[in-house]
């Protein structure tokens, strides 16, 4: 196995140090990193990576990725989506269950898990559907999925809300047996029928049917109380409103076992972008107001919101290149997530790089019960690592990304930061900002 010497890297943005990566682990750090060989420059490593000025993070973990396979391979495959993930600095992603067929049986989750393992870009943890076919009626084979080779711990009907309170209660009770978590897409369906964008001043002006904040907040409030009642774990996906942040803050103060996520796009973009009717800005939950953006940034900074999840949602061109009303909901995000977090949270002084490691690696790994990821950057730990150049700037060009879809809301924007290298158990999946095909090194 190729060995790597990283020179002058800054773990979690701290003081520069050298690191030797060998046998899948962080073999040595500091002066010890060059002691392995006679050559003082390389320390005996096969490949030297000049990491001066670069920030070294634990490999990023995404709790919320749509890989679209099986069923919509025209929008994304496990291979293309996980290559995009590696380029975005991720070493593990959770693949959402709204595939065709649905990931609601042990057979389908094992298929996705195997596709991820064979692609080799990052670890793929399939999310299991809560209900059969995401129909919201009968619980899926939760324990069979948990006991399968895919070892599912995160269950979600994402794309749809588990709106029936009895079904939600049963799911929360059921997953306790195997330390699982229910990840809710909080959207009261009756309050959002026909919704096209956030309900507010701009939806009124444009004459589009609104998706009111209360439709999210009502479900978040109900679910934290259900989680408390049955003593189970709840994860709230893509929290987008100031009111939701308040409810989660209250629930945590009360001791309820709830965690929450925000997407990069909800940290940066607002509903006034809808004025141009560009379907790239159509997403669910919708882009909200500047006050909501401020509230989710504050929530992420003070720990009310635990994680950033990409909600990477690739769509084929025919589903997005159409009028606003007919376009699909969703945006790509794996290859821009870290840059958006840097722009909105790090460069504004609200999070340190150590905090970024917490919200994009440690916390999602803990919530998803992912072993070997989200670990400290330390000797003896699995070498799941991301090397970032925070001084770089680049303009987002969706056609140049690895994802098979081009529906990035950041197209044409200049963003800070660039992932220079990603290591999965000591093997480089990305070097010099480019993907490393299996077994082929620079
Ligand atoms: Zn969702």
């Amino acid at each position: 196995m190729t060995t790597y010497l990283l020179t002058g890297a800054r773990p979690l943005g701290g003081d520069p140090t050298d690191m030797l990566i060998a046998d899948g682990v962080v073999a040595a750090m500091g002066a010890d990193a060059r002691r392995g060989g006679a050559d003082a420059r390389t320390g005996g490593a096969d490949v030297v990576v000049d990491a001066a000025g670069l920030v070294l993070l634990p490999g990023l973990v995404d709790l919320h990725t749509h890989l679209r396979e099986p069923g919509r391979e025209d929008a994304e495959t496990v291979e293309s989506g996980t290559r995009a993930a590696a380029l975005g600095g991720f070493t593990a992603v959770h693949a959402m269950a709204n595939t065709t067929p649905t990931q609601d049986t042990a057979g389908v989750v094992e298929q996705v898990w195997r596709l991820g393992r064979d692609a080799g870009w990052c670890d793929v943890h399939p999310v299991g559907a809560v209900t059969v076919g995401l129909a919201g009626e009968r619980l899926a084979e939760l324990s069979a999925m948990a006991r399968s080779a895919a070892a599912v711990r995160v269950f979600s009907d994402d794309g749809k809300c588990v709106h029936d309170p009895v079904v939600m209660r049963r799911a929360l009770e059921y997953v306790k047996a195997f330390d699982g978590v229910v990840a809710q897409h909080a959207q009261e369906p009756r309050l959002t029928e026909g919704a096209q964008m956030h309900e507010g001043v701009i939806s009124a002006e444009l004459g589009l049917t609104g998706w009111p904040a209360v439709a999210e907040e009502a479900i978040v409030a109900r679910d934290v109380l259900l989680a408390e009642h049955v003593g189970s774990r709840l994860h709230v996906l893509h929290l987008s409103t100031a009111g939701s942040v308040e409810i989660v803050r209250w629930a945590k103060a009360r001791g309820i076992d709830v965690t929450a996520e925000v997407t990069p796009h909800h940290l940066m973009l607002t509903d006034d972008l809808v004025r141009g009717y560009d379907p790239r800005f159509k997403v669910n939950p919708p882009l909200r107001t500047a006050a909501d953006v401020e509230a989710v940034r504050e929530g992420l900074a003070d720990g009310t919101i635990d994680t950033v999840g990409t909600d990477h949602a690739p769509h084929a061109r025919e589903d997005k290149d159409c009028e606003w009303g007919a376009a699909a909901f969703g945006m790509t995000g794996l290859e821009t997530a870290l840059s958006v977090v840097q722009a909105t949270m790090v460069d504004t002084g609200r999070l340190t790089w150590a905090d970024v490691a917490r919200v994009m690696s440690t916390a999602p790994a803990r919530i998803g019960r992912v072993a070997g990821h989200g670990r400290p950057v330390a000797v003896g730990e699995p070498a799941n690592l991301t090397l970032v150049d925070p001084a770089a700037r680049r303009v987002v060009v969706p056609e140049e990304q690895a994802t098979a879809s081009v529906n990035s809301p950041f197209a044409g924007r200049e963003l800070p930061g660039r992932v220079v290298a990603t290591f999965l158990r000591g093997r480089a999946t990305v070097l010099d900002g480019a993907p490393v095909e299996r077994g082929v090194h620079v």
Side-chain angles (χ1 to χ4, degrees), residues 166-358:
V166 176
V167 174
M168 186 62 182
R169 175 191 177 156
R170 287 206 191 107
L172 286 164
E173 284 172 335
Y174 205 90
V175 299
K176 284 162 70 177
F178 33 84
D179 196 23
V181 64
V182 179
Q184 177 70 295
H185 169 115
Q187 175 180 6
E188 213 297 314
R190 292 274 290 140
L191 286 170
T192 53
E193 277 173 18
Q196 292 287 323
M197 66 172 294
H198 172 66
E199 181 181 300
V201 175
I202 295 168
S203 68
E205 189 185 299
L206 300 178
L208 291 174
T209 306
W211 197 131
V214 66
E216 175 173 306
E217 293 154 7
I219 295 292
V220 176
R222 181 200 76 176
D223 286 354
V224 296
L225 293 172
L226 280 174
E228 178 180 45
H229 184 62
V230 304
S232 188
R233 259 192 329 133
L234 170 73
H235 180 64
V236 185
L237 298 168
H238 47 46
L239 187 150
S240 68
T241 78
S244 295
V245 177
E246 278 305 302
I247 294 162
V248 171
R249 194 176 279 128
W250 171 86
K252 288 189 165 185
R254 198 173 154 94
I256 298 172
D257 198 355
V258 58
T259 52
E261 162 191 290
V262 64
T263 70
H265 45 273
H266 288 113
L267 285 170
M268 183 176 267
L269 308 176
T270 54
D271 64 342
D272 62 323
L273 289 165
V274 178
R275 282 205 171 97
Y277 295 104
D278 183 337
R280 283 182 303 138
F281 299 114
K282 187 173 177 183
V283 68
N284 189 15
L287 301 177
R288 303 287 189 186
T289 68
D292 293 308
V293 168
E294 174 55 28
V296 293
R297 288 183 184 186
E298 194 181 313
L300 186 61
D302 73 15
T304 302
I305 298 174
D306 302 82
T307 74
V308 175
T310 67
D311 196 4
H312 175 78
H315 284 292
R317 278 183 189 270
E318 69 265 26
D319 295 325
K320 273 295 199 185
D321 282 357
C322 47
E323 60 168 314
W324 180 272
F329 292 94
M331 308 169 158
T332 59
L334 285 168
E335 289 161 90
T336 46
L338 187 57
S339 288
V340 174
V341 170
Q342 182 185 336
T344 58
M345 302 300 293
V346 180
D347 292 352
T348 56
R350 302 180 92 146
L351 289 184
T352 64
W353 285 106
D355 295 327
V356 173
R358 172 170 52 79

Side-chain angles (χ1 to χ4, degrees), residues 115-159:
L115 287 166
R117 190 191 56 185
D118 294 348
W121 293 110
C122 68
D123 289 349
V124 173
H125 296 274
V127 172
V130 174
T131 65
V132 175
L134 310 181
E137 289 161 10
R138 281 186 301 122
L139 285 188
E141 300 173 0
L142 307 186
S143 92
M145 291 189 275
R147 288 195 316 261
S148 74
V152 175
R153 290 294 176 273
V154 181
F155 296 87
S156 182
D157 277 0
D158 183 54

